[in-house]
Amino acid sequence: MSGTFTKAMARNIFYGGTVFFFLLLVALTFDTMSGLPKSDNRANLTPSVLAGKHIWETRNCIGCHTLLGEGAYFAPELGNVYPRRGPEFIKAWIKSQPTGAPGRRQMPQFNLTEQELDDLVAFLKYTSEINTQKWPPNIEG
Amino acid sequence: MKYSSQSVALPYFIAAIGLFVGQIIFGLAMGLQYVVGDFLFPEIPFNVARMVHTNLLIVWLLFGFMGAAYFLIPEETETELYSPKLALLMFWVFLIAGAATILGYLLVPYSTLAEMTGNNILATMGREFLEQPLLTKIGIVIVALAFLFNISMTMLKGRKTVISIVLLLGLWGLAVFFLFSFYNPGNLVKDKFYWWWVVHLWVEGVWELIMAAMLAFVLIKVTGVDREVIEKWLYVIITLALVTGLIGTGHHYFWIGTPQYWQWWGSIFSALEPIPFFAMTVFAFNMVNRRRREHPNKAAVLWALGTGVMAFLGAGVWGFLHTLAPVNFYTHGSQITAAHGHMAFYGAYVLVVLTIISYAMPLLRGRAANSERSQVCEMWAFWLMTISMVFITLFLTAAGILQVWLQRVSDTPMPFMQVQDQIALFYWMRLWAGVVFSIGLVTYLVSFFVKGESKPLITA
C-alpha cells in the first residue's frame, strides 16, 4: 500500500462503507418484509400450524432433518415431505419410530398425541406451500 | 505479560481447550452415527450429539474471544483491566451455565428441558445453533454485558488503538446481533430470515472483526512490523469483510420464501466474500516476511499463517464453491454445506483462537516462549489437525457431489436414505480423518506438558 493511502482514509472508508451497506441491508429487509405476504403463505398460519411449529421446535427436529434446506443433513428434507409422502404416511411413520433395524439410523419415539401429530402435519403442509422459488429441484428434497 | 490483570485470560483459555476436547469427542460419535446409524441410540441420538457438538464449538470460541480480549486489551490500552474480579466471576457464571446446558441436553428429553426452562413463556429453542434454553440465552446476554462493560471501561481509561477499537466493535456487534435469537415468530419465513441475523452476521460479519483484530495483535507482537502498517491493513480487511458480508447475507435468502431478487444480491456480494479472506492471507504472509525480529515463539507464527491460509480456503474458496444461486439450487442443504462449515469454522475461528492461545499461554505461564521440544510438539499438532481437516473437507465434498448428483441432478432421482447408503464410503473416510484430527488434538494437549528449557521472559 502506497504512502498516499493513509490510515485515516482507510478508517473513513471502513465506517462509511459499513454504515452504507448496513443501511442497504436494512432497506432490503424492509422491502422483503413488505413483499413477504405474497410468498410466505401467511394466509394459512392457523393455530394448528403454530402449535405444529412448537412441536417441531421442542422435539429438536432440526437436529437431524433439514427444513427448506437448513438444519442437519442426517435425515431427509422435510420442507416438501407433505407432497412427497402425504399426511397419513407422515403420522404413521412418526408413530412407528424407532425402527430398531440394526445398524440403521434411528429416529426417537416422541409419544405425540393424535392432536400433536395433526398439528405437526399442518405445520409441514403450510411449510410445503411457501414459495421457495421452486426449490428443492425434485420431490426427493 | 505486562499487566497482572491479563492473567484472567488463563482460565478462559483453559476452559476453551477443555470444551474443544468435548466438541471433538461428540464429533467423532456423530461421524460414527453417520455410518453405524444406531450407535449410542437411544441414549444419545444424533440430534443431541449434534447440539452438543455445535454448541460446544460456539461456547469455546466465545471463551477464546473473551480470553483474547482480557489478554490483549490491557496491553493495547496500556492499563490494567477495569475489574479482574468481575472477569473471574463471569468466567464461573459462563462455565457453570454452559456445563448445565450441555448436561440438560444429555440428561433430559429436549421437550422436557424446554418446559422446565420457560420455553412456553418465550419460545426460542429448537432452531439450529440457537437450541439453548431461554435461561441460558439470558445468561449469555448477562455475561456478555458484564464482559463488554469491563472491556469498555478499561478502554475508556486507557490508550485507544485501532486493534482495541475494532475488537470492541466486533464484540459489541456479537452481543447486539445475538438479541435476534429472542425473536421467533410463528411465520417460518420471518423466523428463518432473522435467524440469519444472528448466524450470518456473526460468522460472516462481526466475528471477522474480532478475528482480524486478534490476528493483527499477534502479528504486531511476533513480527515487530510497524503498528501503522498493520492497522491500515486491519481497516482494509474489515472494510472488505463488511462490505461483502452484510449484503452477502442474501446467499441464505435464495430458497426460504423470500423474494427472488435475493438471488442476485446474494450471489454477487457473496462471490466477493473470499476477497477479505484472501487479503488476510496476504496480510499474514506479508507481515511475517517483513518481520523485524525473530520471535522465539515459532509455533504462534505458524498458527497465525495457518489462520490466513485455512480461513481463505474454508470460508473463501469452499464458500464460493456453492454460493452462486444456480449452483446453490442443487447444493443447498447437502454435504457440500457440511464440508464448507467444517473448514470455514476451523480455518477462521478455531485457528485464530489457537493462535492467540499459542502466543499468550507461554507469557501467562511466565516465559517468552515454550521450549523447543514443546513447540515442535505444538507444530505437529497444527499439521495433524490442519491436514486431517483438509481431508474431512475433501471427503465431505466428494460425498456432497455424489449426493447432489444422485438425489437432485440425475434423471431418476433417488430417495435421501438410499443416497446416504451409496456414499457411505466417504463417511467412513471422513471418520478416519476425524480420528487423525483427534490424535492431533491429543498432541496439542501434550504440548502443554512437554518440559525443556524455555525462553526466559524479558520485560522490555
Side-chain angles (χ1 to χ4, degrees), chain B residues 404-455:
Chain B
V404 165
W405 184 265
L406 293 171
Q407 193 180 314
R408 291 177 177 169
V409 179
S410 144
D411 290 334
T412 49
M414 285 163 73
F416 178 91
M417 274 314 298
Q418 226 167 304
V419 173
Q420 294 297 305
D421 290 340
Q422 294 287 322
I423 59 182
L425 173 67
F426 291 100
Y427 291 142
W428 276 112
M429 295 202 282
R430 181 268 299 266
L431 178 61
W432 287 113
V435 170
V436 177
F437 188 95
S438 54
I439 294 170
L441 180 57
V442 170
T443 312
Y444 179 66
L445 298 178
V446 167
S447 76
F448 287 95
F449 300 97
V450 172
K451 295 273 186 299
E453 200 182 327
S454 58
K455 306 282 184 300

Short mmCIF file of all heavy atoms in Angstrom, two decimals, chain B residues 404-455:
data_model
loop_
_atom_site.label_atom_id
_atom_site.label_comp_id
_atom_site.label_asym_id
_atom_site.label_seq_id
_atom_site.Cartn_x
_atom_site.Cartn_y
_atom_site.Cartn_z
N VAL B 404 -25.61 -34.82 -4.39
CA VAL B 404 -26.33 -33.88 -5.23
C VAL B 404 -26.66 -34.53 -6.57
O VAL B 404 -27.77 -34.40 -7.10
CB VAL B 404 -25.49 -32.60 -5.43
CG1 VAL B 404 -26.02 -31.76 -6.58
CG2 VAL B 404 -25.46 -31.80 -4.14
N TRP B 405 -25.71 -35.28 -7.11
CA TRP B 405 -25.94 -35.93 -8.39
C TRP B 405 -27.07 -36.96 -8.29
O TRP B 405 -28.04 -36.92 -9.04
CB TRP B 405 -24.66 -36.59 -8.91
CG TRP B 405 -24.88 -37.15 -10.26
CD1 TRP B 405 -25.21 -38.43 -10.59
CD2 TRP B 405 -24.86 -36.43 -11.49
NE1 TRP B 405 -25.40 -38.55 -11.93
CE2 TRP B 405 -25.19 -37.34 -12.52
CE3 TRP B 405 -24.60 -35.10 -11.83
CZ2 TRP B 405 -25.26 -36.97 -13.86
CZ3 TRP B 405 -24.67 -34.72 -13.16
CH2 TRP B 405 -25.00 -35.65 -14.16
N LEU B 406 -26.93 -37.87 -7.33
CA LEU B 406 -27.89 -38.99 -7.25
C LEU B 406 -29.29 -38.52 -6.87
O LEU B 406 -30.28 -39.06 -7.33
CB LEU B 406 -27.40 -40.02 -6.22
CG LEU B 406 -26.12 -40.77 -6.59
CD1 LEU B 406 -25.62 -41.59 -5.40
CD2 LEU B 406 -26.36 -41.67 -7.80
N GLN B 407 -29.34 -37.51 -6.00
CA GLN B 407 -30.63 -37.13 -5.43
C GLN B 407 -31.30 -35.99 -6.19
O GLN B 407 -32.52 -35.89 -6.19
CB GLN B 407 -30.41 -36.75 -3.97
CG GLN B 407 -31.67 -36.64 -3.13
CD GLN B 407 -31.31 -36.24 -1.70
OE1 GLN B 407 -30.40 -36.81 -1.11
NE2 GLN B 407 -32.02 -35.27 -1.15
N ARG B 408 -30.50 -35.12 -6.82
CA ARG B 408 -31.09 -33.90 -7.35
C ARG B 408 -30.84 -33.64 -8.83
O ARG B 408 -31.59 -32.91 -9.45
CB ARG B 408 -30.58 -32.69 -6.55
CG ARG B 408 -31.12 -32.68 -5.14
CD ARG B 408 -30.55 -31.53 -4.34
NE ARG B 408 -31.14 -31.49 -3.00
CZ ARG B 408 -30.67 -30.72 -2.03
NH1 ARG B 408 -29.63 -29.95 -2.23
NH2 ARG B 408 -31.25 -30.73 -0.84
N VAL B 409 -29.76 -34.15 -9.39
CA VAL B 409 -29.44 -33.84 -10.78
C VAL B 409 -29.89 -34.96 -11.71
O VAL B 409 -30.43 -34.71 -12.78
CB VAL B 409 -27.93 -33.58 -10.95
CG1 VAL B 409 -27.59 -33.28 -12.40
CG2 VAL B 409 -27.49 -32.42 -10.06
N SER B 410 -29.69 -36.19 -11.28
CA SER B 410 -29.97 -37.35 -12.12
C SER B 410 -31.42 -37.36 -12.65
O SER B 410 -32.33 -36.81 -12.04
CB SER B 410 -29.69 -38.61 -11.30
OG SER B 410 -30.59 -39.63 -11.61
N ASP B 411 -31.62 -38.02 -13.80
CA ASP B 411 -32.97 -38.12 -14.37
C ASP B 411 -33.87 -39.01 -13.53
O ASP B 411 -35.09 -38.89 -13.56
CB ASP B 411 -32.89 -38.69 -15.80
CG ASP B 411 -32.25 -37.69 -16.75
OD1 ASP B 411 -32.35 -36.48 -16.46
OD2 ASP B 411 -31.64 -38.12 -17.74
N THR B 412 -33.25 -39.92 -12.78
CA THR B 412 -34.02 -40.80 -11.90
C THR B 412 -33.57 -40.59 -10.46
O THR B 412 -32.79 -41.36 -9.92
CB THR B 412 -33.81 -42.27 -12.27
OG1 THR B 412 -32.39 -42.49 -12.39
CG2 THR B 412 -34.48 -42.62 -13.57
N PRO B 413 -34.04 -39.48 -9.85
CA PRO B 413 -33.55 -39.12 -8.51
C PRO B 413 -33.86 -40.21 -7.47
O PRO B 413 -34.94 -40.79 -7.47
CB PRO B 413 -34.30 -37.83 -8.20
CG PRO B 413 -35.39 -37.71 -9.19
CD PRO B 413 -35.02 -38.51 -10.37
N MET B 414 -32.86 -40.47 -6.60
CA MET B 414 -33.03 -41.49 -5.57
C MET B 414 -33.46 -40.84 -4.26
O MET B 414 -33.11 -39.70 -3.99
CB MET B 414 -31.69 -42.22 -5.35
CG MET B 414 -31.34 -43.21 -6.45
SD MET B 414 -29.59 -43.64 -6.41
CE MET B 414 -29.51 -44.69 -4.99
N PRO B 415 -34.17 -41.59 -3.42
CA PRO B 415 -34.55 -41.05 -2.10
C PRO B 415 -33.32 -40.82 -1.22
O PRO B 415 -32.28 -41.45 -1.40
CB PRO B 415 -35.43 -42.14 -1.50
CG PRO B 415 -35.80 -43.04 -2.61
CD PRO B 415 -34.73 -42.92 -3.64
N PHE B 416 -33.49 -39.92 -0.25
CA PHE B 416 -32.40 -39.48 0.61
C PHE B 416 -31.61 -40.64 1.22
O PHE B 416 -30.39 -40.70 1.10
CB PHE B 416 -32.96 -38.58 1.73
CG PHE B 416 -31.94 -38.09 2.71
CD1 PHE B 416 -31.27 -36.89 2.51
CD2 PHE B 416 -31.63 -38.83 3.86
CE1 PHE B 416 -30.32 -36.44 3.41
CE2 PHE B 416 -30.68 -38.38 4.77
CZ PHE B 416 -30.03 -37.19 4.54
N MET B 417 -32.31 -41.56 1.91
CA MET B 417 -31.58 -42.60 2.65
C MET B 417 -30.85 -43.55 1.71
O MET B 417 -29.77 -44.05 2.04
CB MET B 417 -32.54 -43.37 3.58
CG MET B 417 -32.74 -42.72 4.94
SD MET B 417 -31.25 -42.13 5.80
CE MET B 417 -30.34 -43.65 6.02
N GLN B 418 -31.44 -43.80 0.53
CA GLN B 418 -30.77 -44.67 -0.44
C GLN B 418 -29.46 -44.03 -0.90
O GLN B 418 -28.44 -44.70 -1.06
CB GLN B 418 -31.70 -44.86 -1.64
CG GLN B 418 -31.81 -46.29 -2.11
CD GLN B 418 -32.98 -46.43 -3.07
OE1 GLN B 418 -34.11 -46.08 -2.72
NE2 GLN B 418 -32.70 -46.89 -4.27
N VAL B 419 -29.50 -42.70 -1.07
CA VAL B 419 -28.29 -41.97 -1.46
C VAL B 419 -27.24 -42.06 -0.35
O VAL B 419 -26.05 -42.26 -0.61
CB VAL B 419 -28.64 -40.50 -1.79
CG1 VAL B 419 -27.38 -39.69 -2.03
CG2 VAL B 419 -29.56 -40.42 -2.98
N GLN B 420 -27.72 -41.93 0.89
CA GLN B 420 -26.78 -41.99 2.01
C GLN B 420 -26.02 -43.32 2.02
O GLN B 420 -24.83 -43.37 2.32
CB GLN B 420 -27.53 -41.81 3.34
CG GLN B 420 -28.14 -40.43 3.52
CD GLN B 420 -27.11 -39.32 3.55
OE1 GLN B 420 -26.18 -39.33 4.35
NE2 GLN B 420 -27.24 -38.35 2.66
N ASP B 421 -26.72 -44.41 1.69
CA ASP B 421 -26.05 -45.71 1.62
C ASP B 421 -24.99 -45.72 0.53
O ASP B 421 -23.91 -46.29 0.70
CB ASP B 421 -27.08 -46.82 1.35
CG ASP B 421 -27.98 -47.06 2.55
OD1 ASP B 421 -27.57 -46.67 3.67
OD2 ASP B 421 -29.08 -47.61 2.38
N GLN B 422 -25.30 -45.08 -0.59
CA GLN B 422 -24.38 -45.07 -1.72
C GLN B 422 -23.08 -44.34 -1.40
O GLN B 422 -22.03 -44.67 -1.95
CB GLN B 422 -25.03 -44.36 -2.92
CG GLN B 422 -26.22 -45.08 -3.51
CD GLN B 422 -25.82 -46.33 -4.28
OE1 GLN B 422 -24.80 -46.33 -4.96
NE2 GLN B 422 -26.58 -47.40 -4.13
N ILE B 423 -23.15 -43.35 -0.51
CA ILE B 423 -21.96 -42.53 -0.28
C ILE B 423 -21.29 -42.84 1.05
O ILE B 423 -20.42 -42.10 1.52
CB ILE B 423 -22.30 -41.01 -0.37
CG1 ILE B 423 -23.37 -40.61 0.65
CG2 ILE B 423 -22.79 -40.66 -1.76
CD1 ILE B 423 -23.77 -39.15 0.55
N ALA B 424 -21.68 -43.99 1.65
CA ALA B 424 -21.16 -44.34 2.98
C ALA B 424 -19.64 -44.43 3.01
O ALA B 424 -19.02 -44.10 4.02
CB ALA B 424 -21.78 -45.66 3.45
N LEU B 425 -19.04 -44.85 1.89
CA LEU B 425 -17.58 -44.97 1.86
C LEU B 425 -16.92 -43.65 2.26
O LEU B 425 -15.95 -43.62 3.02
CB LEU B 425 -17.13 -45.38 0.44
CG LEU B 425 -15.62 -45.38 0.21
CD1 LEU B 425 -14.96 -46.49 1.04
CD2 LEU B 425 -15.29 -45.55 -1.27
N PHE B 426 -17.47 -42.55 1.75
CA PHE B 426 -16.87 -41.25 2.05
C PHE B 426 -17.08 -40.86 3.50
O PHE B 426 -16.25 -40.18 4.10
CB PHE B 426 -17.42 -40.18 1.10
CG PHE B 426 -16.95 -40.38 -0.30
CD1 PHE B 426 -17.77 -40.98 -1.24
CD2 PHE B 426 -15.66 -40.03 -0.66
CE1 PHE B 426 -17.32 -41.19 -2.53
CE2 PHE B 426 -15.20 -40.24 -1.95
CZ PHE B 426 -16.03 -40.83 -2.89
N TYR B 427 -18.20 -41.30 4.08
CA TYR B 427 -18.41 -41.04 5.51
C TYR B 427 -17.40 -41.82 6.35
O TYR B 427 -16.93 -41.33 7.38
CB TYR B 427 -19.84 -41.41 5.91
CG TYR B 427 -20.90 -40.51 5.33
CD1 TYR B 427 -22.12 -41.03 4.90
CD2 TYR B 427 -20.70 -39.14 5.22
CE1 TYR B 427 -23.11 -40.21 4.38
CE2 TYR B 427 -21.67 -38.31 4.69
CZ TYR B 427 -22.88 -38.85 4.27
OH TYR B 427 -23.85 -38.04 3.76
N TRP B 428 -17.10 -43.04 5.91
CA TRP B 428 -16.07 -43.81 6.63
C TRP B 428 -14.73 -43.09 6.56
O TRP B 428 -14.02 -42.96 7.56
CB TRP B 428 -15.93 -45.22 6.03
CG TRP B 428 -16.92 -46.20 6.57
CD1 TRP B 428 -17.96 -46.78 5.88
CD2 TRP B 428 -16.98 -46.75 7.91
NE1 TRP B 428 -18.66 -47.63 6.70
CE2 TRP B 428 -18.09 -47.63 7.95
CE3 TRP B 428 -16.22 -46.55 9.07
CZ2 TRP B 428 -18.45 -48.32 9.11
CZ3 TRP B 428 -16.58 -47.25 10.22
CH2 TRP B 428 -17.68 -48.12 10.23
N MET B 429 -14.39 -42.60 5.38
CA MET B 429 -13.09 -41.93 5.24
C MET B 429 -13.07 -40.64 6.05
O MET B 429 -12.06 -40.29 6.66
CB MET B 429 -12.80 -41.67 3.76
CG MET B 429 -12.63 -42.97 2.99
SD MET B 429 -11.71 -42.79 1.46
CE MET B 429 -12.92 -42.08 0.40
N ARG B 430 -14.20 -39.94 6.08
CA ARG B 430 -14.29 -38.75 6.92
C ARG B 430 -14.06 -39.11 8.39
O ARG B 430 -13.37 -38.39 9.12
CB ARG B 430 -15.65 -38.08 6.72
CG ARG B 430 -15.87 -36.80 7.51
CD ARG B 430 -16.51 -36.99 8.86
NE ARG B 430 -17.83 -37.58 8.81
CZ ARG B 430 -18.94 -36.86 8.81
NH1 ARG B 430 -18.88 -35.57 8.82
NH2 ARG B 430 -20.10 -37.46 8.80
N LEU B 431 -14.64 -40.24 8.81
CA LEU B 431 -14.48 -40.65 10.20
C LEU B 431 -13.01 -40.90 10.52
O LEU B 431 -12.51 -40.47 11.56
CB LEU B 431 -15.33 -41.91 10.46
CG LEU B 431 -15.23 -42.48 11.87
CD1 LEU B 431 -15.70 -41.48 12.91
CD2 LEU B 431 -16.05 -43.77 11.98
N TRP B 432 -12.31 -41.57 9.61
CA TRP B 432 -10.89 -41.84 9.87
C TRP B 432 -10.08 -40.54 9.90
O TRP B 432 -9.17 -40.39 10.71
CB TRP B 432 -10.33 -42.82 8.83
CG TRP B 432 -10.84 -44.21 9.11
CD1 TRP B 432 -11.68 -44.95 8.31
CD2 TRP B 432 -10.59 -45.01 10.28
NE1 TRP B 432 -11.98 -46.15 8.93
CE2 TRP B 432 -11.32 -46.22 10.13
CE3 TRP B 432 -9.84 -44.83 11.44
CZ2 TRP B 432 -11.31 -47.22 11.09
CZ3 TRP B 432 -9.83 -45.82 12.39
CH2 TRP B 432 -10.56 -47.00 12.22
N ALA B 433 -10.43 -39.62 9.02
CA ALA B 433 -9.76 -38.31 9.08
C ALA B 433 -10.04 -37.64 10.42
O ALA B 433 -9.17 -37.00 11.00
CB ALA B 433 -10.23 -37.43 7.92
N GLY B 434 -11.26 -37.85 10.93
CA GLY B 434 -11.62 -37.30 12.24
C GLY B 434 -10.79 -37.93 13.36
O GLY B 434 -10.42 -37.26 14.33
N VAL B 435 -10.50 -39.22 13.21
CA VAL B 435 -9.65 -39.89 14.21
C VAL B 435 -8.26 -39.26 14.21
O VAL B 435 -7.69 -38.98 15.27
CB VAL B 435 -9.59 -41.41 13.93
CG1 VAL B 435 -8.54 -42.07 14.80
CG2 VAL B 435 -10.96 -42.05 14.15
N VAL B 436 -7.73 -38.99 13.02
CA VAL B 436 -6.41 -38.34 12.94
C VAL B 436 -6.49 -36.94 13.57
O VAL B 436 -5.58 -36.52 14.29
CB VAL B 436 -5.92 -38.24 11.47
CG1 VAL B 436 -4.59 -37.51 11.41
CG2 VAL B 436 -5.79 -39.63 10.87
N PHE B 437 -7.59 -36.25 13.32
CA PHE B 437 -7.77 -34.93 13.93
C PHE B 437 -7.67 -35.03 15.44
O PHE B 437 -7.00 -34.23 16.10
CB PHE B 437 -9.12 -34.32 13.53
CG PHE B 437 -9.29 -32.89 13.96
CD1 PHE B 437 -9.00 -31.86 13.09
CD2 PHE B 437 -9.72 -32.59 15.26
CE1 PHE B 437 -9.13 -30.53 13.50
CE2 PHE B 437 -9.86 -31.27 15.67
CZ PHE B 437 -9.56 -30.24 14.79
N SER B 438 -8.34 -36.04 16.00
CA SER B 438 -8.33 -36.15 17.47
C SER B 438 -6.94 -36.54 17.98
O SER B 438 -6.55 -36.15 19.08
CB SER B 438 -9.40 -37.12 17.96
OG SER B 438 -9.25 -38.35 17.33
N ILE B 439 -6.17 -37.28 17.16
CA ILE B 439 -4.77 -37.54 17.54
C ILE B 439 -4.01 -36.21 17.58
O ILE B 439 -3.22 -35.94 18.49
CB ILE B 439 -4.10 -38.53 16.55
CG1 ILE B 439 -4.78 -39.91 16.67
CG2 ILE B 439 -2.60 -38.64 16.82
CD1 ILE B 439 -4.37 -40.90 15.59
N GLY B 440 -4.27 -35.37 16.60
CA GLY B 440 -3.67 -34.04 16.59
C GLY B 440 -4.04 -33.24 17.81
O GLY B 440 -3.22 -32.54 18.41
N LEU B 441 -5.29 -33.37 18.22
CA LEU B 441 -5.76 -32.63 19.40
C LEU B 441 -5.06 -33.14 20.67
O LEU B 441 -4.65 -32.34 21.52
CB LEU B 441 -7.28 -32.75 19.53
CG LEU B 441 -7.92 -32.04 20.72
CD1 LEU B 441 -7.59 -30.55 20.73
CD2 LEU B 441 -9.43 -32.24 20.71
N VAL B 442 -4.90 -34.46 20.76
CA VAL B 442 -4.19 -35.01 21.92
C VAL B 442 -2.74 -34.51 21.91
O VAL B 442 -2.20 -34.11 22.96
CB VAL B 442 -4.25 -36.56 21.91
CG1 VAL B 442 -3.32 -37.13 22.97
CG2 VAL B 442 -5.68 -37.04 22.12
N THR B 443 -2.12 -34.49 20.73
CA THR B 443 -0.76 -33.96 20.61
C THR B 443 -0.70 -32.52 21.10
O THR B 443 0.24 -32.12 21.79
CB THR B 443 -0.30 -34.02 19.13
OG1 THR B 443 -0.59 -35.32 18.61
CG2 THR B 443 1.18 -33.74 19.01
N TYR B 444 -1.74 -31.76 20.74
CA TYR B 444 -1.82 -30.37 21.19
C TYR B 444 -1.85 -30.28 22.71
O TYR B 444 -1.12 -29.50 23.32
CB TYR B 444 -3.06 -29.72 20.58
CG TYR B 444 -3.28 -28.28 20.98
CD1 TYR B 444 -2.38 -27.30 20.57
CD2 TYR B 444 -4.37 -27.91 21.74
CE1 TYR B 444 -2.58 -25.97 20.92
CE2 TYR B 444 -4.58 -26.58 22.09
CZ TYR B 444 -3.67 -25.62 21.68
OH TYR B 444 -3.87 -24.31 22.05
N LEU B 445 -2.69 -31.13 23.32
CA LEU B 445 -2.78 -31.12 24.79
C LEU B 445 -1.43 -31.48 25.40
O LEU B 445 -0.98 -30.86 26.36
CB LEU B 445 -3.85 -32.11 25.27
CG LEU B 445 -5.29 -31.84 24.83
CD1 LEU B 445 -6.21 -32.94 25.35
CD2 LEU B 445 -5.76 -30.49 25.32
N VAL B 446 -0.77 -32.49 24.80
CA VAL B 446 0.52 -32.95 25.33
C VAL B 446 1.54 -31.81 25.30
O VAL B 446 2.35 -31.65 26.21
CB VAL B 446 1.01 -34.18 24.53
CG1 VAL B 446 2.48 -34.49 24.84
CG2 VAL B 446 0.13 -35.39 24.82
N SER B 447 1.47 -30.97 24.25
CA SER B 447 2.48 -29.92 24.09
C SER B 447 2.54 -28.98 25.30
O SER B 447 3.57 -28.38 25.56
CB SER B 447 2.21 -29.12 22.81
OG SER B 447 1.14 -28.22 23.00
N PHE B 448 1.43 -28.88 26.02
CA PHE B 448 1.44 -28.00 27.20
C PHE B 448 2.26 -28.60 28.35
O PHE B 448 2.60 -27.90 29.29
CB PHE B 448 0.01 -27.73 27.67
CG PHE B 448 -0.73 -26.80 26.76
CD1 PHE B 448 -1.55 -27.30 25.76
CD2 PHE B 448 -0.59 -25.42 26.88
CE1 PHE B 448 -2.22 -26.44 24.90
CE2 PHE B 448 -1.25 -24.56 26.04
CZ PHE B 448 -2.07 -25.07 25.04
N PHE B 449 2.50 -29.91 28.28
CA PHE B 449 3.18 -30.57 29.39
C PHE B 449 4.60 -31.00 29.03
O PHE B 449 5.29 -31.57 29.86
CB PHE B 449 2.35 -31.77 29.86
CG PHE B 449 0.97 -31.36 30.31
CD1 PHE B 449 -0.12 -31.45 29.47
CD2 PHE B 449 0.79 -30.84 31.59
CE1 PHE B 449 -1.38 -31.05 29.87
CE2 PHE B 449 -0.48 -30.43 32.01
CZ PHE B 449 -1.56 -30.53 31.14
N VAL B 450 5.03 -30.74 27.79
CA VAL B 450 6.39 -31.09 27.39
C VAL B 450 7.35 -30.11 28.06
O VAL B 450 7.23 -28.90 27.92
CB VAL B 450 6.54 -31.05 25.86
CG1 VAL B 450 8.00 -31.22 25.47
CG2 VAL B 450 5.68 -32.12 25.21
N LYS B 451 8.30 -30.67 28.80
CA LYS B 451 9.25 -29.82 29.51
C LYS B 451 10.40 -29.43 28.58
O LYS B 451 10.37 -29.70 27.39
CB LYS B 451 9.78 -30.58 30.73
CG LYS B 451 8.71 -30.88 31.78
CD LYS B 451 8.57 -29.72 32.74
CE LYS B 451 7.61 -30.05 33.88
NZ LYS B 451 6.24 -30.35 33.45
N GLY B 452 11.42 -28.85 29.13
CA GLY B 452 12.57 -28.42 28.35
C GLY B 452 12.89 -26.99 28.70
O GLY B 452 12.11 -26.30 29.36
N GLU B 453 14.04 -26.55 28.22
CA GLU B 453 14.49 -25.21 28.57
C GLU B 453 13.69 -24.16 27.79
O GLU B 453 13.71 -24.13 26.57
CB GLU B 453 15.98 -25.06 28.24
CG GLU B 453 16.61 -23.92 29.00
CD GLU B 453 18.08 -23.76 28.62
OE1 GLU B 453 18.74 -24.78 28.33
OE2 GLU B 453 18.54 -22.60 28.61
N SER B 454 12.95 -23.34 28.52
CA SER B 454 12.13 -22.34 27.83
C SER B 454 12.85 -21.00 27.79
O SER B 454 13.77 -20.75 28.55
CB SER B 454 10.79 -22.20 28.53
OG SER B 454 11.00 -21.84 29.88
N LYS B 455 12.41 -20.17 26.86
CA LYS B 455 13.00 -18.83 26.74
C LYS B 455 12.51 -17.96 27.90
O LYS B 455 11.31 -17.86 28.13
CB LYS B 455 12.56 -18.19 25.42
CG LYS B 455 12.85 -19.02 24.20
CD LYS B 455 14.29 -18.96 23.79
CE LYS B 455 14.57 -19.71 22.50
NZ LYS B 455 14.23 -21.14 22.55
#
